[in-house]
Every structure is written in C-alpha cells, then in structure tokens.
Amino acid sequence: MSNMEETLSIIKPDAVERNLEEKIKSIFIKNNFQITRQKKVKLEKKEAEIFYKVHETKPFYNELCNYLSSGPIVVMVLKKQNAILENRKLMGATDPLEAEVGTIRKEFGISIDKNSVHGSDSPENAKTEIDFFFKN
Ligand code: ADP
Ligand code: MG
C-alpha cells in the first residue's frame, strides 16, 4: 500500500557551519528521499521559539531556541514512502552517543543539543513544520 509522505528536515547550525550541507543532502538522496523544496535561512530567536513551541516547558527550551537561531540552517521537504519514520531512522537517536552506526547523528552530531539535523516526528507535526517554512 502506498504511503507517500513529506517530512520537514533541517540541517542545523552546527552542521552548516562545518560545511556538511552537501554531504548530508547526498545521504538523503542515496536513501531515496526526494528533496522537493529547500532553502537556506537564518531564523530570528522569536521564530525559533515558535518552531520549537512544543518544547516550551523543557529546561533546555531557551538554549535550544538560541542555538537554532545562532546561524544559517538548511530547511528541506523530503519525500518518500513513509518519509517521516524513514527520516527518523536515518537521523538516529537525539543523543549522538546513543545513535546507531550509519545514522546521520552518529556520524556528524557533536552532542545532544548540537545534533546536526531535525526531522518531523508525526504526520501532524510534519504538516505544521512544512507550513511554517514553506507556506506562501
Ligand atoms: P529530536 O530532535 O530527536 O526530535 P526532541 O524533539 O526531543 O529530539 O528535542 C528537540 C531538540 O532539542 C533536539 O534535537 C536537541 O537539539 C534538543 N534537546 C533535546 N533534549 C535535550 C537535552 N536534554 N539537553 C539539551 N538539548 C536537548
Ligand atoms: Mg522532536
């Protein structure tokens, strides 16, 4: 049964800063994701606060928003069968130390906060996050 999906992916500031943009995109392509939309942006802190609103009660919320707005990011819409779950698998665990070998966070992540990539975690959040960046 077909379940073609779109998910939002972000190459975070730590990875853009280390010039990993093309390397990470090539991993998505190699894993049969289609990059249907993309742009490089730098968020204002207020925008990061809106994007990460689901985490507003977490102790790391303020740091997280400072970090996401600290430098350029690459925002992409990835399309594939079961893209949301497939991208989460390819990214690996939130903490790079716990991520499996072969995942993006294992290979490139620096720490639990500077973990190189974001990926939507549900169809509902994928839609909200794609609209946040690409609604015209
Ligand atoms: P994921 O990005 O894997 O979906 P979460 O949604 O739980 O993870 O958290 C969002 C982001 O917040 C993480 O990618 C990471 O950058 C940061 N973060 C999560 N947990 C922590 C933590 N304990 N300390 C610092 N930053 C964290
Ligand atoms: Mg999340």
Side-chain angles (χ1 to χ4, degrees):
M1 209 170 64
S2 168
N3 184 37
M4 195 54 81
E5 284 179 336
E6 288 187 322
T7 190
L8 188 88
S9 169
I10 302 178
I11 304 175
K12 292 183 176 183
D14 67 272
V16 174
E17 190 180 338
R18 287 176 289 149
N19 294 311
L20 295 170
E21 177 180 344
E22 291 310 319
K23 234 177 220 170
I24 291 174
K25 279 184 196 167
S26 75
I27 293 171
F28 289 130
I29 299 299
K30 201 171 68 188
N31 284 272
N32 299 313
F33 288 90
Q34 222 185 309
I35 302 173
T36 58
R37 309 196 69 173
Q38 58 179 307
K39 62 182 178 183
K40 187 180 275 185
V41 295
K42 187 179 175 305
L43 295 184
E44 300 295 330
K45 174 137 186 217
K46 281 207 155 57
E47 296 173 311
E49 286 170 349
I50 296 167
F51 180 76
Y52 272 136
K53 192 153 176 58
V54 292
H55 294 302
E56 70 183 331
T57 61
K58 308 271 171 69
F60 55 83
Y61 179 61
N62 188 50
E63 280 307 305
L64 179 60
C65 296
N66 281 337
Y67 167 64
L68 192 70
S69 58
S70 68
I73 58 176
V74 177
V75 194
M76 294 165 290
V77 176
L78 302 181
K79 187 173 180 178
K80 186 183 174 175
Q81 292 281 339
N82 306 310
I84 296 164
L85 187 61
E86 289 297 307
N87 180 42
R88 296 289 304 191
K89 284 201 267 182
L90 185 57
M91 287 164 54
T94 306
D95 185 348
L97 286 175
E98 288 170 14
E100 283 180 46
V101 172
T103 62
I104 294 172
R105 283 167 163 173
K106 179 68 173 186
E107 187 164 358
F108 301 115
I110 296 169
S111 55
I112 192 165
D113 49 326
K114 295 183 171 63
N115 57 9
S116 301
V117 281
H118 167 86
S120 308
D121 64 2
S122 68
E124 189 192 357
N125 287 338
K127 185 183 186 320
T128 307
E129 292 177 0
I130 290 169
D131 284 352
F132 179 84
F133 284 106
F134 293 106
K135 196 154 196 160
N136 326 293

Short mmCIF file of all heavy atoms in Angstrom, two decimals, residues 6-10 37 39 43 47 50-51 75-77 118 120 122-136:
data_model
loop_
_atom_site.label_atom_id
_atom_site.label_comp_id
_atom_site.label_asym_id
_atom_site.label_seq_id
_atom_site.Cartn_x
_atom_site.Cartn_y
_atom_site.Cartn_z
N GLU A 6 5.56 13.52 3.03
CA GLU A 6 6.58 14.57 3.09
C GLU A 6 6.88 14.86 4.56
O GLU A 6 5.99 14.83 5.40
CB GLU A 6 6.09 15.83 2.39
CG GLU A 6 6.05 15.66 0.87
CD GLU A 6 5.74 16.94 0.14
OE1 GLU A 6 4.92 17.73 0.63
OE2 GLU A 6 6.32 17.15 -0.94
N THR A 7 8.15 15.13 4.83
CA THR A 7 8.57 15.46 6.18
C THR A 7 9.50 16.66 6.13
O THR A 7 10.12 16.93 5.10
CB THR A 7 9.26 14.25 6.86
OG1 THR A 7 9.45 14.53 8.25
CG2 THR A 7 10.60 13.91 6.22
N LEU A 8 9.58 17.38 7.23
CA LEU A 8 10.50 18.52 7.27
C LEU A 8 11.83 18.10 7.87
O LEU A 8 11.88 17.49 8.94
CB LEU A 8 9.94 19.69 8.07
CG LEU A 8 10.85 20.91 7.91
CD1 LEU A 8 10.46 21.74 6.70
CD2 LEU A 8 10.88 21.77 9.15
N SER A 9 12.88 18.44 7.16
CA SER A 9 14.24 18.18 7.63
C SER A 9 14.97 19.51 7.74
O SER A 9 14.80 20.39 6.91
CB SER A 9 14.95 17.27 6.61
OG SER A 9 16.34 17.20 6.91
N ILE A 10 15.78 19.63 8.79
CA ILE A 10 16.64 20.82 8.93
C ILE A 10 18.07 20.36 9.14
O ILE A 10 18.34 19.49 9.97
CB ILE A 10 16.21 21.69 10.14
CG1 ILE A 10 14.77 22.15 10.00
CG2 ILE A 10 17.14 22.90 10.27
CD1 ILE A 10 14.27 22.98 11.19
N ARG A 37 11.58 20.66 -1.81
CA ARG A 37 11.73 22.10 -1.58
C ARG A 37 12.92 22.30 -0.66
O ARG A 37 13.19 21.46 0.21
CB ARG A 37 10.47 22.69 -0.91
CG ARG A 37 9.20 22.33 -1.64
CD ARG A 37 8.06 23.22 -1.21
NE ARG A 37 8.27 24.57 -1.68
CZ ARG A 37 7.38 25.56 -1.57
NH1 ARG A 37 6.22 25.34 -0.99
NH2 ARG A 37 7.64 26.76 -2.02
N LYS A 39 15.57 25.60 1.20
CA LYS A 39 16.10 26.97 1.28
C LYS A 39 17.03 27.08 2.47
O LYS A 39 16.93 26.31 3.44
CB LYS A 39 14.98 28.00 1.37
CG LYS A 39 14.09 27.87 2.60
CD LYS A 39 12.97 28.93 2.54
CE LYS A 39 12.05 28.80 3.74
NZ LYS A 39 10.91 29.74 3.68
N LEU A 43 17.05 32.05 11.22
CA LEU A 43 15.86 32.41 11.99
C LEU A 43 16.18 33.50 13.02
O LEU A 43 17.27 33.54 13.58
CB LEU A 43 15.31 31.19 12.74
CG LEU A 43 14.77 30.02 11.92
CD1 LEU A 43 14.18 28.96 12.86
CD2 LEU A 43 13.72 30.48 10.91
N GLU A 47 11.27 33.43 15.98
CA GLU A 47 10.81 32.40 15.04
C GLU A 47 11.18 31.00 15.55
O GLU A 47 10.40 30.06 15.45
CB GLU A 47 11.43 32.65 13.66
CG GLU A 47 10.98 33.96 13.04
CD GLU A 47 11.72 34.30 11.76
OE1 GLU A 47 12.98 34.23 11.73
OE2 GLU A 47 11.04 34.65 10.78
N ILE A 50 8.78 29.90 18.13
CA ILE A 50 7.51 29.40 17.57
C ILE A 50 7.71 27.99 17.02
O ILE A 50 6.92 27.08 17.28
CB ILE A 50 6.98 30.36 16.47
CG1 ILE A 50 6.64 31.71 17.08
CG2 ILE A 50 5.77 29.74 15.77
CD1 ILE A 50 6.41 32.81 16.05
N PHE A 51 8.79 27.79 16.28
CA PHE A 51 9.05 26.48 15.69
C PHE A 51 9.14 25.39 16.77
O PHE A 51 8.62 24.29 16.60
CB PHE A 51 10.35 26.50 14.87
CG PHE A 51 10.66 25.18 14.25
CD1 PHE A 51 9.96 24.74 13.13
CD2 PHE A 51 11.62 24.34 14.82
CE1 PHE A 51 10.22 23.49 12.57
CE2 PHE A 51 11.87 23.09 14.27
CZ PHE A 51 11.18 22.67 13.14
N VAL A 75 16.70 24.23 5.31
CA VAL A 75 15.40 23.63 5.56
C VAL A 75 14.96 22.91 4.29
O VAL A 75 15.04 23.49 3.20
CB VAL A 75 14.36 24.72 5.89
CG1 VAL A 75 13.12 24.09 6.48
CG2 VAL A 75 14.93 25.73 6.83
N MET A 76 14.53 21.66 4.43
CA MET A 76 14.16 20.86 3.25
C MET A 76 12.86 20.11 3.49
O MET A 76 12.59 19.67 4.61
CB MET A 76 15.24 19.80 2.98
CG MET A 76 16.58 20.33 2.56
SD MET A 76 17.83 19.02 2.70
CE MET A 76 17.96 18.85 4.46
N VAL A 77 12.11 19.92 2.42
CA VAL A 77 11.00 18.97 2.44
C VAL A 77 11.49 17.70 1.77
O VAL A 77 11.98 17.74 0.62
CB VAL A 77 9.76 19.53 1.71
CG1 VAL A 77 8.66 18.48 1.66
CG2 VAL A 77 9.26 20.79 2.40
N HIS A 118 17.34 18.01 12.20
CA HIS A 118 15.98 17.91 12.76
C HIS A 118 15.13 17.11 11.79
O HIS A 118 15.32 17.20 10.58
CB HIS A 118 15.37 19.30 12.93
CG HIS A 118 13.88 19.25 13.19
ND1 HIS A 118 13.36 19.10 14.45
CD2 HIS A 118 12.81 19.27 12.34
CE1 HIS A 118 12.04 19.05 14.37
NE2 HIS A 118 11.67 19.16 13.09
N SER A 120 10.77 15.91 11.41
CA SER A 120 9.42 15.85 11.98
C SER A 120 9.17 14.47 12.58
O SER A 120 9.68 13.46 12.09
CB SER A 120 8.36 16.10 10.91
OG SER A 120 8.64 17.28 10.19
N SER A 122 5.85 13.24 13.42
CA SER A 122 4.50 12.72 13.20
C SER A 122 3.91 13.42 11.97
O SER A 122 4.38 14.51 11.60
CB SER A 122 3.61 13.01 14.41
OG SER A 122 3.39 14.40 14.53
N PRO A 123 2.89 12.82 11.35
CA PRO A 123 2.26 13.47 10.20
C PRO A 123 1.72 14.86 10.54
O PRO A 123 1.88 15.80 9.75
CB PRO A 123 1.12 12.51 9.84
CG PRO A 123 1.59 11.17 10.31
CD PRO A 123 2.37 11.45 11.56
N GLU A 124 1.15 15.00 11.72
CA GLU A 124 0.60 16.29 12.13
C GLU A 124 1.71 17.35 12.25
O GLU A 124 1.59 18.47 11.75
CB GLU A 124 -0.13 16.11 13.47
CG GLU A 124 -0.92 17.32 13.90
CD GLU A 124 -1.38 17.21 15.36
OE1 GLU A 124 -1.12 16.16 15.99
OE2 GLU A 124 -1.98 18.18 15.84
N ASN A 125 2.80 16.97 12.93
CA ASN A 125 3.90 17.93 13.08
C ASN A 125 4.60 18.20 11.74
O ASN A 125 5.09 19.31 11.51
CB ASN A 125 4.91 17.44 14.12
CG ASN A 125 4.36 17.58 15.53
OD1 ASN A 125 3.45 18.37 15.79
ND2 ASN A 125 4.89 16.79 16.46
N ALA A 126 4.67 17.19 10.88
CA ALA A 126 5.28 17.40 9.57
C ALA A 126 4.52 18.49 8.81
O ALA A 126 5.13 19.40 8.23
CB ALA A 126 5.29 16.10 8.77
N LYS A 127 3.21 18.43 8.85
CA LYS A 127 2.41 19.43 8.14
C LYS A 127 2.62 20.82 8.73
O LYS A 127 2.85 21.80 8.01
CB LYS A 127 0.93 19.04 8.21
CG LYS A 127 0.07 19.98 7.39
CD LYS A 127 -1.41 19.66 7.49
CE LYS A 127 -2.23 20.53 6.54
NZ LYS A 127 -1.80 21.94 6.46
N THR A 128 2.55 20.91 10.07
CA THR A 128 2.76 22.20 10.74
C THR A 128 4.13 22.78 10.41
O THR A 128 4.27 23.97 10.13
CB THR A 128 2.65 22.02 12.28
OG1 THR A 128 1.42 21.35 12.57
CG2 THR A 128 2.69 23.35 13.00
N GLU A 129 5.15 21.91 10.45
CA GLU A 129 6.53 22.38 10.25
C GLU A 129 6.79 22.76 8.79
O GLU A 129 7.50 23.74 8.51
CB GLU A 129 7.51 21.29 10.70
CG GLU A 129 7.47 21.08 12.22
CD GLU A 129 8.38 19.96 12.71
OE1 GLU A 129 9.07 19.32 11.89
OE2 GLU A 129 8.40 19.73 13.93
N ILE A 130 6.22 22.00 7.85
CA ILE A 130 6.38 22.35 6.43
C ILE A 130 5.69 23.69 6.17
O ILE A 130 6.25 24.57 5.51
CB ILE A 130 5.83 21.23 5.52
CG1 ILE A 130 6.74 20.00 5.60
CG2 ILE A 130 5.72 21.72 4.06
CD1 ILE A 130 6.17 18.74 4.94
N ASP A 131 4.49 23.86 6.72
CA ASP A 131 3.77 25.14 6.55
C ASP A 131 4.54 26.30 7.16
O ASP A 131 4.55 27.40 6.63
CB ASP A 131 2.37 25.06 7.17
CG ASP A 131 1.40 24.27 6.31
OD1 ASP A 131 1.76 23.92 5.17
OD2 ASP A 131 0.28 23.99 6.79
N PHE A 132 5.18 26.05 8.31
CA PHE A 132 5.93 27.11 8.99
C PHE A 132 6.99 27.70 8.05
O PHE A 132 7.17 28.91 8.00
CB PHE A 132 6.60 26.54 10.25
CG PHE A 132 7.43 27.53 11.02
CD1 PHE A 132 6.84 28.38 11.94
CD2 PHE A 132 8.80 27.62 10.79
CE1 PHE A 132 7.61 29.30 12.64
CE2 PHE A 132 9.57 28.54 11.48
CZ PHE A 132 8.98 29.38 12.41
N PHE A 133 7.66 26.85 7.31
CA PHE A 133 8.75 27.35 6.45
C PHE A 133 8.33 27.61 5.01
O PHE A 133 8.96 28.43 4.33
CB PHE A 133 9.92 26.36 6.45
CG PHE A 133 10.75 26.41 7.70
CD1 PHE A 133 10.65 25.39 8.64
CD2 PHE A 133 11.61 27.47 7.94
CE1 PHE A 133 11.42 25.43 9.80
CE2 PHE A 133 12.38 27.53 9.09
CZ PHE A 133 12.29 26.51 10.03
N PHE A 134 7.33 26.92 4.51
CA PHE A 134 7.07 26.98 3.07
C PHE A 134 5.66 27.44 2.68
O PHE A 134 5.31 27.37 1.53
CB PHE A 134 7.35 25.62 2.43
CG PHE A 134 8.81 25.25 2.47
CD1 PHE A 134 9.29 24.30 3.35
CD2 PHE A 134 9.72 25.88 1.61
CE1 PHE A 134 10.64 23.96 3.38
CE2 PHE A 134 11.07 25.55 1.63
CZ PHE A 134 11.53 24.59 2.52
N LYS A 135 4.87 27.89 3.65
CA LYS A 135 3.55 28.38 3.28
C LYS A 135 3.71 29.75 2.58
O LYS A 135 4.36 30.62 3.09
CB LYS A 135 2.66 28.55 4.53
CG LYS A 135 1.21 28.68 4.17
CD LYS A 135 0.34 28.20 5.34
CE LYS A 135 -1.08 27.96 4.84
NZ LYS A 135 -1.83 27.10 5.73
N ASN A 136 3.15 29.86 1.37
CA ASN A 136 3.29 31.16 0.69
C ASN A 136 2.03 32.00 0.88
O ASN A 136 0.96 31.55 0.76
CB ASN A 136 3.49 30.96 -0.81
CG ASN A 136 4.28 29.72 -1.13
OD1 ASN A 136 5.45 29.64 -0.81
ND2 ASN A 136 3.65 28.74 -1.74
#
